[in-house]
Amino acid sequence: FYDEAEARKYTQNSRVVEIQSQMSERAVELLGLPEDRPCLLLDVGCGSGLSGDYISEEGHYWIGMDISPAMLDVAVEREVEGDLLLADLGHGIPFRPGMFDGCISISAVQWLCNADKKSHSPPKRLYRFFSTLYTALARGSRAVLQLYPENSEQLELITAQAMRAGFTGGMVVDYPNSAKAKKFFLCLFVGTSGTLPKGLGTECANEEPHQAKFTNERTRFRNAKGKSVKKSRDWILEKKERRRRQGKEVRADTKYTGRKRRPRF
């Protein structure tokens, strides 16, 4: 577990924030959510809410689960927009059937392969997690779980327990030929066997890529979907309006909202 100081240090690391943001963006893209309505998503191993920030930016609602009280405390301090639950994934997903329109997880599921206590059986804990996750997801939805497997045996164990629980789908590997950019996403379908998305960086050089190209930096400007630059005045006003709709107390808008402060002498 992270202690309070480690959790805060992890969350404030700009490199960590950038990587989490990129992987969250990719995971949500792989969910294939409808564009005409907001969805309710489950964030498994949500930590301090970095992945939840991206879900909120996209206009969706989320509930996050994590085993670390210190990480969840930091999420509360950061005033994330999702609801938070302290829970061990190996004990299962404690929500009613069909509640969620999708699930994402960034760098969490592989920890279920560890036997931290004598009573822990990784296959049983994985099966408990996947079987209850399957129940909590709406039919036709997806779960996209980014993970860092230690070896091929661990990957097979995780995939086998997911399929045993009723999921279909498989592994999407982005940039399989790159040691640094290579990422594993377990893309699972509920109740339907969809077509597995293509991994990024797998296209031939003479073909047009079917999905967004990988960049080290996410550009934030008002794009085709009408989203605003992060931290800009418009972005701040939109976030405040979302919070008002959720019944939260928000400071009134003024001419100073979103204005950059001058450096102190």
Side-chain angles (χ1 to χ4, degrees):
F1 289 12
Y2 287 95
D3 63 26
E4 204 76 40
E6 286 174 330
R8 198 168 282 106
K9 189 176 177 182
Y10 177 89
T11 306
Q12 290 169 350
N13 184 305
S14 58
R15 180 67 182 145
V16 168
V17 172
E18 183 188 352
I19 292 170
Q20 282 276 125
S21 210
Q22 287 173 354
M23 292 194 295
S24 304
E25 187 169 3
R26 178 65 171 141
V28 171
E29 179 189 355
L30 290 170
L31 282 179
L33 298 171
E35 292 186 7
D36 57 344
R37 64 179 176 86
C39 296
L40 177 62
L41 304 181
L42 177 63
D43 186 357
V44 169
C46 65
S48 57
L50 294 176
S51 44
D53 287 345
Y54 180 75
I55 295 173
S56 296
E57 277 181 45
E58 290 295 291
H60 301 297
Y61 300 97
W62 59 280
I63 297 174
M65 293 176 62
D66 204 276
I67 197 172
S68 168
M71 279 294 203
L72 293 177
D73 284 346
V74 174
V76 171
E77 276 181 30
R78 295 178 61 245
E79 297 184 341
V80 297
E81 295 186 26
D83 292 317
L84 305 168
L85 175 69
L86 177 66
D88 180 352
L89 304 181
H91 293 165
I93 306 298
F95 294 103
R96 62 180 173 78
M99 181 167 167
F100 295 98
D101 301 306
C103 167
I104 71 164
S105 177
I106 307 298
S107 316
V109 175
Q110 73 272 1
W111 296 109
L112 289 173
C113 296
N114 296 351
D116 297 322
K117 297 179 183 176
K118 282 186 179 179
S119 59
H120 283 182
S121 162
K124 286 182 181 177
R125 283 167 61 77
L126 281 163
Y127 179 70
R128 175 72 181 161
F129 165 66
F130 282 118
S131 58
T132 52
L133 176 62
Y134 188 94
T135 303
L137 289 168
R139 301 307 90 175
S141 64
R142 298 181 188 180
V144 177
L145 316 172
Q146 183 275 327
L147 43 92
Y148 289 110
E150 279 187 12
N151 47 46
S152 58
E153 288 79 15
Q154 199 176 81
L155 209 54
E156 284 168 21
L157 173 63
I158 293 169
T159 307
Q161 296 307 313
M163 301 306 160
R164 188 179 157 221
F167 285 104
T168 56
M171 198 63 68
V172 175
V173 184
D174 284 356
Y175 307 99
N177 301 318
S178 166
K180 201 172 181 182
K182 188 176 184 179
K183 293 288 182 292
F184 292 89
F185 293 87
L186 184 57
C187 190
L188 302 171
F189 303 102
V190 183
T192 56
S193 52
T195 306
L196 205 61
K198 274 190 175 183
L200 298 181
T202 57
E203 302 91 351
C204 296
N206 59 354
E207 286 182 4
E208 281 295 311
H210 298 293
Q211 291 161 309
K213 292 179 182 177
F214 176 80
T215 56
N216 288 327
E217 204 174 337
R218 282 170 58 205
T219 52
R220 276 291 175 208
F221 50 87
R222 189 172 279 281
N223 58 22
K225 288 185 180 178
K227 303 242 176 348
S228 304
V229 183
K230 193 165 184 178
K231 305 294 184 186
S232 68
R233 179 179 166 83
D234 288 342
W235 182 86
I236 290 167
L237 291 173
E238 286 164 10
K239 184 168 182 177
K240 288 172 79 173
E241 186 54 39
R242 281 202 306 274
R243 291 191 166 226
R244 286 192 190 100
R245 287 200 298 269
Q246 291 171 352
K248 295 181 179 177
E249 197 174 319
V250 180
R251 285 185 183 180
D253 300 335
T254 71
K255 64 179 181 179
Y256 300 107
T257 302
R259 183 181 289 187
K260 285 191 176 181
R261 294 169 184 251
R262 289 181 180 177
R264 289 185 181 181
F265 290 109

